[in-house]
Amino acid sequence: MKRRIFLLNITTAISGLAVTKAFAKMDHSSMSDTMCAINSDECQKEDSMHHEHMNMNMNMNMSNNKTPQKLLATSALPQGQDLPELVRLKNTSDKQGTFEANLEAKPVKIKLTPELTTEFWAYNGNIPGPAIEAFEGDKVKITVKNSIPQATTVHWHGLLIPSNQDGNPQDEIPAGSSRTYEFTIPEGNAGTYWYHPHGHETVAEQVARGLAGIFIVRSKKDPLASLPEQNWFFSDLKLTDKGEIADNSMVDWMNGREGQFVLINGAYRPKITVKSATRVRIWNACSGRYLNLSIPNCDVYLVGTDGGLMPKPIQLNSPLLLSPAERAELVIVPKQSGTVYLQSIGYDRGKMGNVPPEQDIILGELVLTESSSIALPSTLRELPKLGHATAHKTLEYTEVMDMKEPRGGMLFLINGKRHDMQRIDLESNIHEVEEWTIFNNSHMDHNFHIHGAQFTTVSHEVDGKKNPPKYEALKDTINLRPYEKITIKIQQNMPGLRMYHCHIIEHETLGMMGQLMVK
Ligand code: C2O
Ligand code: CU
Ligand code: CU
């Protein structure tokens, strides 16, 4: 492997520091196209960076940090249990077309082994939170009681609902209080969503402690309704050797937290049985971990993304990359019986600091009982056609060092700014079709998420080479490789304040977020 070194000067206006960063850029000509993102059309083979330059800075920061916590050995947690079904949130209304329920965010003690008790924060005491299932057109009324010792909100990630019901950081529920969220799910919004806290600078901690759950919206005209379904909700758990939820380290703040345990539906390395062609909904609800899923001995079809079904199924022949908060719907068709590993294939996202190289990790065991086949419909859905864009916005992601930032010494910025709840960064006219170009002007992957709308991708651009997306799909979260530029087409159809941010939750919490006012 050849190495090239180049220098980049970054002057940080924020801290008044002038820092010179030396990046070691590595050639990855041997890298296979397993690196391709499901939504990244250009498979970049040369964009992987290492960050030796950060180590010096890191060590300086580490010296004023308390001693690192000892982590629990991965062998300590039981594995191999059958994939748990998610607990359903009970609909307390018997009226047609109405979903009413109660959620309580509260501390709960769970015994993970006979010796270890962990205090989580969980919705209704469940890890993950109870599953919500509703139909397009349903009136939803959910009362949330906040029994954790901090203010919180509940954000309904991906749903097309009014901004004042969407759990913005400005609308916190103080500790000990309740509020009711009320909205109607619009037609055309069927898909695979989730809910999680979105308070001011508290999201990283609250998600790390266990607050998140799924929200499925069904359509009455679903072309795949006859298939059996499974839900795979991936989350990430970092435990100390005492079984406590570990604090974020400097490295977690910089790169996004990754625990030593990846859970599916709350279970560590479960056994998942697939008997025949099955529709699988997948959530990457990890704070910072990228999943690059490999599903052996099966035909795998991508049929849906963040915003529901795609126009037509796409057969996948490389791993499925999901950055934090992305979802996918797959149809998995076993080709031969037997037991195989479900794995996440090592994906280099350009982490900073002294971190080990990415490795393949085992997520669970897949038991395929027999070979099967299926004829999928050739068209699944027609996407809403957005007209010509009449407005254009540009965003730029940057990273700068700041010795005064105690959480990792880095600032993550959008258009040179940190999130400010009082500042409106951008304005849009309601119903106007816009193109947004997001430029990841940094050496690590970040993703882009926006509230209130599902967008389509117009182009991906790296090194001046522009490519159309590989397929049409509705997204609310999209990954950007280092120095990649993505153009999306978007329309906001409700007035009010909307957030957009990187969904590596530590970056969002550190301020890599902006505010859009729709008028
Ligand atoms: Cu899933 Cu603004 O968040
Ligand atoms: Cu969201
Ligand atoms: Cu980020």
Side-chain angles (χ1 to χ4, degrees), residues 290 397 399 412 444-447 502-504 507-508 512:
Y290 281 51
Y397 281 179
E399 301 162 357
F412 298 92
M444 84 188 279
D445 286 39
H446 293 280
N447 68 13
C502 175
H503 217 294
I504 292 175
H507 295 171
E508 170 196 338
M512 199 175 208

Side-chain angles (χ1 to χ4, degrees), residues 173-189:
I173 313 168
S177 312
S178 299
R179 85 154 267 180
T180 300
Y181 292 96
E182 261 188 286
F183 48 85
T184 300
I185 302 168
E187 294 297 327
N189 201 191

Side-chain angles (χ1 to χ4, degrees), residues 155 157 194 196-198 325 449 451 499-501 503 508 513:
H155 169 56
H157 182 124
W194 59 305
H196 63 76
H198 219 301
H449 167 56
H451 297 189
M499 308 294 133
Y500 51 86
H501 54 89
H503 217 294
E508 170 196 338
M513 174 148 65

Side-chain angles (χ1 to χ4, degrees), residues 109-124:
K109 290 203 167 81
I110 296 179
K111 253 181 159 353
L112 294 173
T113 73
E115 298 80 37
L116 289 177
T117 302
T118 304
E119 185 174 313
F120 291 89
W121 293 349
Y123 292 115
N124 295 4

Side-chain angles (χ1 to χ4, degrees), residues 172-376:
E172 287 190 323
I173 313 168
S177 312
S178 299
R179 85 154 267 180
T180 300
Y181 292 96
E182 261 188 286
F183 48 85
T184 300
I185 302 168
E187 294 297 327
N189 201 191
T192 301
Y193 306 104
W194 59 305
Y195 61 96
H196 63 76
H198 219 301
H200 183 52
E201 292 192 359
T202 53
V203 184
E205 178 175 9
Q206 293 183 15
V207 170
R209 291 191 179 280
L211 290 170
I214 71 165
F215 196 131
I216 294 175
V217 178
R218 296 189 181 278
S219 157
K220 293 197 172 106
K221 316 179 284 279
D222 181 346
L224 301 176
S226 61
L227 287 175
E229 278 193 31
Q230 290 191 13
N231 296 318
W232 298 356
F233 182 86
F234 287 91
S235 62
D236 189 288
L237 181 63
K238 186 173 179 184
L239 293 177
T240 68
D241 58 350
K242 312 241 164 20
E244 293 154 346
I245 307 275
D247 296 335
N248 271 3
S249 66
M250 297 292 205
V251 170
D252 290 336
W253 282 113
M254 286 197 308
N255 296 324
R257 176 183 172 105
E258 291 187 1
Q260 72 270 52
F261 301 102
V262 180
L263 308 182
I264 314 179
N265 298 357
Y268 181 50
R269 290 188 176 171
K271 187 167 92 191
I272 303 171
T273 304
V274 177
K275 296 193 177 119
S276 59
T278 301
R279 176 187 200 167
V280 181
R281 296 178 192 260
I282 299 176
W283 289 258
N284 182 353
C286 299
S287 296
R289 185 185 293 280
Y290 281 51
L291 295 170
N292 195 25
L293 293 180
S294 147
I295 303 167
N297 292 4
C298 296
D299 284 341
V300 179
Y301 299 90
L302 180 65
V303 295
T305 52
D306 303 335
L309 291 178
M310 309 205 307
K312 47 177 191 274
I314 307 277
Q315 187 164 7
L316 297 182
N317 35 38
S318 56
L320 171 74
L321 182 71
L322 290 177
S323 68
E326 284 187 285
R327 290 88 64 207
E329 284 181 61
L330 301 180
V331 173
I332 293 178
V333 187
K335 282 285 106 190
Q336 109 195 32
S337 61
T339 299
V340 289
Y341 284 130
L342 176 68
Q343 283 186 291
S344 179
I345 304 301
Y347 170 80
D348 187 346
R349 59 184 177 91
K351 283 178 193 161
M352 291 179 265
N354 196 5
V355 293
E358 298 295 338
Q359 281 177 350
D360 300 352
I361 56 170
I362 295 170
L363 302 168
E365 233 176 43
L366 206 54
V367 182
L368 310 170
T369 58
E370 62 199 71
S371 86
S372 169
S373 65
I374 190 179
L376 285 173

